[in-house]
Amino acid sequence: MIIKEDIWNTLKPIYSKGKGAAMYKTLKLVNKLRKIIKRFIFTKIVKAIAKKVGKDLIVNGYTLVTPTTILGDNVSFNGMKMFGGGQIVIGNNFHSGVDCMIISQNHNFDSGETIPYDKTYIYKDVVIEDNVWIGSKVNILGGVTIGEGAIIQAGSTVVNDIPACAIAGGHPARVFKYRNKEHYYKLKSENKVLR
């Protein structure tokens, strides 16, 4: 009974302003609740599947991880799919855009027994160090390390290692600029990270 009264006390001021306003504000509230529930469910799924999960995980969009995935603290996904048997390690303070993908295995096409490939897989680990931000629709292939503080431009495909504090983009992703390292390490030393 207390829950019903709490909900009514929350909605009562909205309904007292007329039907149109009430409908609009009710829909906004419902939408906000949907986002909260989706975030809760997506986060629970990632925690149940990943090998290890740090503190303050945020999963805002549908995210698929592998049982070999290790996540640091303050990791934020907005829609990420990880595939393959290679280990995927993501450091602290990681943020991703929507529709990103990490693939940690490939078909055996060089030394297989059939063409174009055989039924065996080659596993390659992926390491993403602390404070990395990848934009929307980024693909990361196995055998890659993305260095601390790097930024990967939206729509890129990462096939080679990216050094610390680099800004990279394209197909394949290439470094075209570096962050202001002095400023980056100053913020890091002051523990000023996006939460």
Side-chain angles (χ1 to χ4, degrees):
M1 198 66 166
I2 293 172
I3 294 173
K4 278 185 177 180
E5 289 174 15
D6 288 342
I7 293 171
W8 175 244
N9 289 337
T10 303
L11 294 175
K12 189 175 178 182
I14 296 171
Y15 281 99
S16 64
K17 294 181 180 178
K19 289 182 181 178
M23 182 60 76
Y24 173 75
K25 289 190 177 187
T26 301
L27 289 175
K28 272 183 72 174
L29 180 64
V30 168
N31 205 22
K32 187 174 182 179
L33 288 172
R34 277 186 42 209
K35 285 180 183 178
I36 291 169
I37 291 167
K38 281 171 66 174
R39 178 188 278 187
F40 176 79
I41 292 169
F42 292 152
T43 301
K44 284 287 190 190
I45 291 169
V46 169
K47 285 181 176 181
I49 297 171
K51 184 176 184 178
K52 183 179 176 191
V53 178
K55 298 180 294 191
D56 302 322
L57 173 67
I58 297 172
V59 185
N60 289 315
Y62 176 73
T63 297
L64 177 65
V65 298
T66 68
T68 60
T69 302
I70 298 173
L71 305 174
D73 296 335
N74 191 34
V75 169
S76 177
F77 294 124
N78 288 301
M80 169 75 76
K81 294 182 180 96
M82 298 177 210
F83 302 101
Q87 187 173 62
I88 299 169
V89 178
I90 298 177
N92 299 330
N93 310 312
F94 170 85
H95 289 264
S96 76
V98 297
D99 295 330
C100 296
M101 185 167 36
I102 299 174
I103 303 171
S104 66
Q105 76 182 34
N106 198 353
H107 293 283
N108 184 6
F109 57 86
D110 268 344
S111 59
E113 297 182 12
T114 59
I115 52 174
Y117 53 83
D118 69 11
K119 295 180 181 181
T120 61
Y121 292 102
I122 299 168
Y123 302 119
K124 294 186 176 182
D125 297 344
V126 173
V127 176
I128 300 174
E129 296 179 353
D130 293 347
N131 307 313
V132 170
W133 171 30
I134 64 171
S136 296
K137 298 185 183 284
V138 169
N139 296 317
I140 301 169
L141 301 185
V144 166
T145 296
I146 299 177
E148 176 184 345
I151 299 171
I152 308 298
Q153 186 179 44
S156 298
T157 300
V158 181
V159 299
N160 295 309
D161 292 351
I162 304 295
C165 295
I167 302 173
H171 298 276
R174 298 201 192 289
V175 176
F176 60 87
K177 186 177 177 180
Y178 281 86
R179 298 175 81 140
N180 178 335
K181 290 182 183 181
E182 185 179 321
H183 181 68
Y184 169 81
Y185 288 111
K186 177 182 179 290
L187 291 175
K188 182 182 174 187
S189 71
E190 296 169 358
N191 200 26
K192 292 186 175 177
V193 296
L194 181 64
R195 298 205 187 268

